Amino acid sequence: MMVVSENKIIKNTRMLPVMEAFYTIQGEGFHQGKAAYFIRLAGCDVGCSWCDVKESWRVENHPKKTTTQIVEEANFAISQQTTIPNNKHQTPNICVITGGEPCMHDLNELTLNLQYHQFKIHLETSGAYPISGNLDWICISPKKFKPPISENLKMADELKIIVFNKNDFSWAEEFAKKVSENCRLFLQPEWSKEKIMLPLIIEYIKENPQWALSIQLHKYIQVP
Ligand code: SF4
């Protein structure tokens, strides 16, 4: 199948490994609290010790789907839960592409297809691989195990640092120097260290108000 937009033909040739996809509430960062459809692509070699989706790492453990299939599933899932005629605010649907490390894949075809279906497309990446695709929001969360590419950092709309220990505040500041001045800065406690790190983050943000707090809201309200 081909989708024909005004001046582009979107081919349906790329297969992407999808670990899971679901409609929920964005729990983290600048868009926290908004409804969003998540597509979690499989494949990651970054190797964070505290990773909470280790089952996403191996591509071969997950089904490959065409981009058309992925977008059809997104539209269907959202249509089951929204009442668009009453949406007088004309809020566009948000699609978050996450992983795994989604930038291990070429995202051009998927994002074109989503864009054709009027999605606002948000990317969550470690920044360790070149970013591809038409994107409305780029969140980079650097990881120590495989650092982000400098060019990616310059494109970030949001920098989200996962704080695992006290040294991570100075580590965060190193990345803050490399993003654009419009980039939003967030500190987020690593979930297993939340009780220890959250009070430290709160104090740090009070002293350094260019940073804001991101908590994993979805874990507090127990949604995916
Ligand atoms: Fe897990 Fe993300 Fe780190 Fe990959 S980059 S190991 S998916 S936390």
Side-chain angles (χ1 to χ4, degrees):
M1 178 181 169
M2 278 185 180
V3 178
V4 183
S5 70
E6 277 175 17
N7 50 13
K8 292 179 188 127
I9 295 176
I10 304 170
K11 292 180 187 154
N12 184 33
T13 53
R14 183 159 289 279
M15 304 280 285
L16 293 168
V18 180
M19 175 185 152
E20 58 181 351
F22 49 91
Y23 189 41
T24 186
I25 300 290
Q26 168 60 285
E28 302 181 4
F30 184 77
H31 293 285
Q32 185 185 72
K34 297 179 185 175
Y37 185 79
F38 278 68
I39 299 170
R40 188 183 304 286
L41 297 180
C44 185
D45 63 358
V46 177
C48 307
S49 54
W50 41 259
C51 177
D52 57 2
V53 282
K54 287 186 170 132
E55 59 276 31
S56 73
W57 290 4
R58 296 181 72 86
V59 168
E60 60 272 24
N61 291 347
H62 302 282
K64 286 194 169 179
K65 298 183 177 182
T66 65
T67 60
T68 299
Q69 195 180 352
I70 295 169
V71 176
E72 280 174 358
E73 287 176 4
N75 280 327
F76 179 75
I78 292 172
S79 71
Q80 295 299 296
Q81 293 196 33
T82 53
T83 51
I84 299 296
N86 296 329
N87 183 0
K88 67 178 181 182
H89 301 292
Q90 296 292 308
T91 315
N93 289 322
I94 294 172
C95 178
V96 179
I97 303 176
T98 187
E101 174 40 72
C103 293
M104 289 176 77
H105 309 284
D106 182 337
L107 301 176
N108 281 301
E109 186 181 296
L110 176 61
T111 56
L112 270 178
N113 214 329
L114 286 165
Q115 201 174 48
Y116 177 76
H117 286 270
Q118 313 297 323
F119 281 92
K120 289 286 178 195
I121 307 160
H122 297 189
L123 175 70
E124 294 186 344
T125 175
S126 69
Y129 286 86
I131 292 172
S132 58
N134 291 12
L135 300 158
D136 296 289
W137 190 263
I138 298 173
C139 172
I140 295 186
S141 182
K143 304 294 184 310
K144 289 179 183 151
F145 317 90
K146 202 169 180 118
I149 298 168
S150 301
E151 287 307 308
N152 286 347
L153 286 167
K154 290 177 195 150
M155 294 162 62
D157 297 292
E158 174 179 352
L159 175 70
K160 184 173 66 189
I161 302 290
I162 310 304
V163 181
F164 188 75
N165 61 44
K166 287 181 190 174
N167 297 334
D168 289 343
F169 293 110
S170 56
W171 187 69
E173 295 294 354
E174 288 307 308
F175 289 106
K177 288 177 196 159
K178 295 177 183 169
V179 295
S180 77
E181 61 183 21
N182 297 325
C183 182
R184 314 297 176 109
L185 307 178
F186 288 91
L187 297 171
Q188 178 176 299
E190 194 279 317
W191 183 248
S192 69
K193 294 285 197 77
E194 185 253 1
K195 288 214 166 25
I196 301 165
M197 298 316 302
L198 184 56
L200 300 181
I201 292 173
I202 291 169
E203 286 311 304
Y204 191 86
I205 290 173
K206 282 158 62 181
E207 290 166 16
N208 302 275
Q210 69 273 30
W211 291 94
L213 175 65
S214 171
I215 54 168
Q216 291 179 292
L217 178 69
H218 53 294
K219 292 187 178 176
Y220 289 95
I221 62 175
Q222 297 179 352
V223 297

